[in-house]
Amino acid sequence: MAEIIKTYREKVPAIRFIGKQYGNQDRVDGTFGSKWDEWFENGWFEELEKLEPAENPEADAFIGLMRRKDGEPFEYWIGMFRKEGTEVPEGFSYVDFPESDLGVVWLYGKGSELYCLEDECAESCKAEGFKIIPDEAGAYWFFERYACPRFTQPDADGCVILDICHFIAKE
């Protein structure tokens, strides 16, 4: 079973997320795994890696960005954060985020046990005194951050660390 091993605040500059948007209709067996497979098969991450990265420590991580707002369809985006104002390649969409603070939670575990724990991670942020905030439209954005080598190199027990990040009020 996955466990939360660390929760902390991270400051990020204004950034542009570049990727592709999906919805619940794109899930296969309850997940977006097939869409991630499509990204790797089509070399879409390689295309984004050619663009100038954002100026934050985890800028080269692959991202599963989510948007949730009551009464509106759930959005799941796959892509990467890039520098503010980066030109968006054809076939991709983008979301701009202002300078922000993130509540970052490290989930430690194996494979599929790391997913669908965003609410538990939000509670861990709240326990640290962080206030999770919506955007101007009242939507909550949060994301999975697949950082290297935390996620890509399993330890002796076969476990990795997946970052779950929520936008929080600034200090």
Side-chain angles (χ1 to χ4, degrees):
M1 182 170 178
E3 66 176 304
I4 293 171
I5 60 169
K6 185 175 184 178
T7 302
Y8 62 96
R9 177 184 300 272
E10 181 179 303
K11 295 179 180 300
V12 294
I15 49 178
R16 172 165 283 175
F17 175 85
I18 301 175
K20 295 180 183 275
Q21 178 186 348
Y22 304 99
N24 284 330
Q25 72 279 3
D26 297 304
R27 292 179 191 262
V28 175
D29 296 326
T31 76
F32 293 98
S34 65
K35 293 299 175 188
W36 282 88
D37 292 342
E38 188 177 316
W39 269 74
F40 290 111
E41 290 165 9
N42 290 316
W44 291 333
F45 284 116
E46 292 169 8
E47 192 169 340
L48 296 183
E49 287 175 321
K50 295 174 187 174
L51 305 173
E52 188 172 358
E55 297 171 4
N56 63 310
E58 308 288 355
D60 287 331
F62 299 157
I63 303 293
L65 177 68
M66 292 165 266
R67 180 186 184 273
R68 181 170 40 199
K69 182 178 179 186
D70 289 342
E72 294 184 8
F74 175 78
E75 295 177 17
Y76 186 85
W77 297 68
I78 299 175
M80 298 179 78
F81 287 116
R82 293 304 190 224
K83 189 172 183 176
E84 177 184 30
T86 297
E87 188 172 329
V88 180
E90 188 175 332
F92 293 90
S93 298
Y94 70 94
V95 180
D96 287 330
F97 292 96
E99 180 180 291
S100 304
D101 283 10
L102 301 174
V104 180
V105 178
W106 284 10
L107 281 174
Y108 174 81
K110 296 179 182 176
S112 63
E113 67 186 26
L114 295 170
Y115 302 105
C116 300
L117 296 172
E118 292 84 14
D119 291 340
E120 289 83 348
C121 292
E123 290 304 316
S124 183
C125 286
K126 292 174 187 174
E128 289 294 321
F130 305 154
K131 180 182 179 193
I132 296 173
I133 56 170
D135 66 10
E136 308 79 36
Y140 290 89
W141 292 87
F142 46 98
F143 57 93
E144 305 157 330
R145 182 168 63 188
Y146 297 89
C148 298
R150 289 192 300 275
F151 186 80
T152 57
Q153 296 179 7
D155 66 12
D157 296 322
C159 295
V160 296
I161 295 171
L162 174 64
D163 301 8
I164 302 293
C165 305
H166 289 270
F167 288 87
I168 59 174
K170 291 183 178 183
E171 289 184 300

